[in-house]
Amino acid sequence: MDETSELGTARCPGPTVQDYLDRDSRPVPAALRHDNNDYLGSEDIDTTRFTSREWAEREMRQVWRRVWQFACLESEIPGVGDHEIYEIGDDSLIIVRTAPDEIRAYVNACLHRGRKLRTGGGNVGEFRCPFHGFAWNLDGTMQTPPCAWDFPHVTPEKYALPEARVATWRGFVFINMDPYAESFESYRGTFDDYYIWPLQDRYKSLHIAKVLPCNWKITQDAFIESFHVIATHPQMLPWLADANSQYDVMADQPHWNRMINIQGAPSPHVADSVTEQDVLETFYDSRAFYASAQGRDLVMPEGELPEVPAGGTARQVLAERMREQLAATSAQDYSDTADTELLDAINYLLFPNFNPWGGAKSNIIYRFRPNGLDPDSCIAEIIFMSAPKQSGEMPPPAAIRWVPEDMLFADIPELGVLGPVFDQDCENLPYVQQGLKTMRKPGITLANYQESRIRHFNQTLDRWMNR
């Protein structure tokens, strides 16, 4: 290994993300001009974090009960008494609107004999245990217990429901079970400077969840790098510049990182063998194939495929077509929106597991979390945040839809091309979980640049685990 690679400065030959942004047809937001990748070392990452029950239990104590994490959307609890249940590991919390401008989070357990107070969301005026009828007001104070004469040792003022801390951010509700945790504003660091899109102006149009047979960190790691595209998604190579992706990791910002994937340009693995017209046609062909497989008509483009003009690029044509479509279907004006915001996959991670995509067209949220304390199982969620079709009209948020184990993401038409792609990713994950258990090498080896987000995430995880 030469010295350049040793220091973590090697990059794929060919155009960088910033080179592509230089050629955008519209001014690019300054937040996307940020390009920073601190070298974080090249040591292996131990495998026990993915396979050990002991690690999962300690992770619950050291991480999940101490970090800020996405619980629900404000729009899911619009009225007083509206609530959602958020579960992580073996913890369950009631996220409830207690006043028009107040949201609180209570531990979801009766303080009498421990039964869960609520098993699902809804609207209530109080939290009453179905077992013996002990009840709490929306502000968490206890009501007079049944047969109070038999509980002289129970005083309502001392039996308020335990609470978690709550913060809101652009329409999302975050909780932290540590009463001494730093503020959510401090926790985010500079994240807000670089995630610039107003999610609060969008609505939840789709929410898909599925249990996967692997550790939640294996799933998350798979979606924060593009190195796997060459083997897992070869159909994308003509129009996705995978190895040219930009990875932003900052040693002084442990709680967030970012990846920018250029779309509408070829992978450097095939760039010498495809033309700009090939890029354009394969981009549409992949979408047409999946639309046909799902029994849907391809919405875009209408009519025959356009030609890439002499001296032009597929990327420019695709961006203009996207503006035309959005002008016809959305209440928002995208005429000045940069090409990158319309085309590229801009993925962020806010530790530990809030994965919002940036961009102006639509915003996807990934959330991967443990399934109880089972190190071999996790919950994978895909959330679509969409712009309303009519200005001022915000549709109600979509309810979560659980996908059975034997159902593919490709069988969900609303996911579009993302469904089959997600299936390709998920096909690897159980075999990673199994392979880590049989591998004699004690750690996984990561690329210095293309897998730097994985290293950044795991180093932050280690900080929390070792506190």
Side-chain angles (χ1 to χ4, degrees), residues 18-30 32-33 313 315-324 327 333-344 360:
Q18 295 303 317
D19 290 335
Y20 283 108
L21 300 192
D22 287 340
R23 299 194 288 268
D24 258 18
S25 65
R26 309 289 195 277
V28 174
L32 296 179
R33 287 305 203 169
T313 66
R315 184 172 167 82
Q316 293 167 348
V317 174
L318 289 168
E320 283 306 314
R321 280 297 183 111
M322 189 65 70
R323 288 188 185 93
E324 293 171 10
D333 181 9
Y334 294 91
S335 56
D336 294 328
T337 302
D339 301 349
T340 181
E341 295 183 90
L342 295 171
L343 295 176
D344 298 334

Side-chain angles (χ1 to χ4, degrees), residues 159-338:
Y159 272 72
L161 289 175
E163 291 189 60
R165 296 177 64 184
V166 173
T168 58
W169 177 84
R170 301 188 195 181
F172 290 78
V173 179
F174 287 78
I175 64 94
N176 193 314
M177 290 179 263
D178 181 0
Y180 305 106
E182 65 180 311
S183 69
F184 186 49
E185 182 179 17
S186 171
Y187 182 89
R188 296 195 308 273
T190 60
F191 179 72
D192 286 18
D193 296 336
Y194 299 99
Y195 192 93
I196 57 175
W197 297 276
L199 290 174
Q200 67 274 16
D201 296 336
R202 300 182 179 275
Y203 72 99
K204 188 175 73 163
S205 58
L206 185 69
H207 189 169
I208 301 297
K210 185 177 183 180
V211 174
L212 301 179
C214 62
N215 190 271
W216 73 275
K217 297 181 290 296
I218 287 175
T219 307
Q220 177 145 282
D221 287 352
F223 290 93
I224 59 175
E225 51 90 353
S226 295
F227 183 36
H228 67 281
V229 170
I230 185 173
T232 302
H233 311 299
Q235 79 278 6
M236 294 182 176
L237 294 177
W239 52 267
L240 179 70
D242 56 339
N244 299 104
S245 296
Q246 177 178 311
Y247 300 91
D248 293 310
V249 300
M250 286 72 62
D252 65 349
Q253 295 294 316
H255 291 142
W256 77 272
N257 58 47
R258 179 177 71 179
M259 169 177 69
I260 304 177
N261 294 145
I262 293 294
Q263 299 194 69
S267 163
H269 300 300
V270 301
D272 292 342
S273 61
V274 298
T275 66
E276 289 294 330
Q277 190 65 31
D278 292 333
V279 173
L280 184 73
E281 291 179 4
T282 55
F283 182 89
Y284 283 130
D285 285 347
S286 64
R287 283 153 175 76
F289 172 79
Y290 291 124
S292 174
Q294 294 167 335
R296 298 184 295 116
D297 294 327
L298 183 64
V299 175
M300 175 182 162
E302 295 179 358
E304 295 185 6
L305 282 172
E307 293 286 332
V308 178
T313 66
R315 184 172 167 82
Q316 293 167 348
V317 174
L318 289 168
E320 283 306 314
R321 280 297 183 111
M322 189 65 70
R323 288 188 185 93
E324 293 171 10
Q325 179 186 348
L326 291 171
T329 60
S330 172
Q332 299 186 28
D333 181 9
Y334 294 91
S335 56
D336 294 328
T337 302

